[in-house]
Amino acid sequence: DTAVSQTPKYLVTQMGNDKSIKCEQNLGHDTMYWYKQDSKKFLKIMFSYNNKELIINETVPNRFSPKSPDKAHLNLHINSLELGDSAVYFCASSQAGVGIEAFFGQGTRLTVV
Amino acid sequence: KQEVTQIPAALSVPEGENLVLNCSFTDSAIYNLQWFRQDPGKGLTSLLLIQSSQREQTSGRLNASLDKSSGRSTLYIAASQPGDSATYLCAVYRDDKIIFGKGTRLHILP
C-alpha cells in the first residue's frame, strides 16, 4: 500500500484554468503538507495542516487554496493558473514528535502552457 | 528563521571513492534531521532519519551524523557506485515545518 498518494502524476493545462491535485495518506498521521519544487529543484513548503486545521501558509498567493476534508486528505486547488505555477508539487505527511519520519508522495508535475 | 545550507551544490567523484556531503542549519532547536535522495524526474527517497538526541545513523554504505550544537550534519557514502548518482537533500524538522536544503547533485564517474 502506498503511504502517501497524489493524483494526478502529470498535469498539463492552459493559463487561466483552475485545477486540483489530490493527496491521501493512510499512515494515520495528523500533519500534512504541500511543497513546491521549482525549476532549480528547491523544495519549499507551501502549507501545513494539522488535524484539518491550517498551521502554516508560507506567503502563497490566494489563488492556491488547500482543502482538508479529513486528516487523511489534503487537496490543493489552484485558480487562474499562471506560467510561473509550473513546478512539481509534493504532498507529505508526518506525526509530531521526535523520531517520527515524514513520508512524501511521488509528486505531481504541473505544466502550465 | 531556520535556514538549511548544503555544500557543495554539485560533486563529481570517481567510482569507488568515499565521499562526504555536508548540511548546516542555523537553528539547533530541531526534532529530527532526514537525508533524502532524488533521482531526476522522480520523487523523494528517504535514506536516513536522525533524531535530535542521536548523533548518527547507518544504513548499508551510508552513515549520517548530526551535531546539533554546531548545526551540522554529514552524509558519508562509502565505496561510491554509479547508481549513487542523484541529488541528495537534507531536511530538518522544526515545529510544524520540514525545511529542505537546496541539495547536492552527486555524479559518480564510472
Side-chain angles (χ1 to χ4, degrees), chain A residues 45-110:
Chain A
I45 190 168
M46 299 172 67
F47 300 102
S48 165
Y49 267 71
N50 183 275
N51 276 317
K52 304 192 301 175
E53 298 294 325
L54 178 66
I55 303 298
I56 291 172
N57 177 341
E58 286 286 315
T59 60
V60 179
N62 290 338
R63 298 182 296 104
F64 291 79
S65 54
K67 286 185 171 54
S68 182
D70 54 62
K71 75 174 192 177
H73 295 83
L74 182 61
N75 304 322
L76 184 64
H77 188 75
I78 315 171
N79 291 327
S80 304
L81 279 155
E82 301 177 355
L83 293 176
D85 297 332
S86 296
V88 181
Y89 293 84
F90 285 95
C91 176
S93 76
S94 72
Q95 188 80 5
V98 174
I100 307 297
E101 183 176 349
F103 287 83
F104 283 75
Q106 285 302 297
T108 296
R109 182 174 296 276
L110 171 65

Side-chain angles (χ1 to χ4, degrees), chain A residues 35 37 56 58 99 101-102, chain B residues 32 38 46 93 96-98:
Chain A
Y35 282 80
Q37 188 171 41
I56 291 172
E58 286 286 315
E101 183 176 349
Chain B
N32 308 302
Q38 185 176 30
S46 176
Y93 291 51
D96 293 302
K97 290 186 185 182
I98 301 170

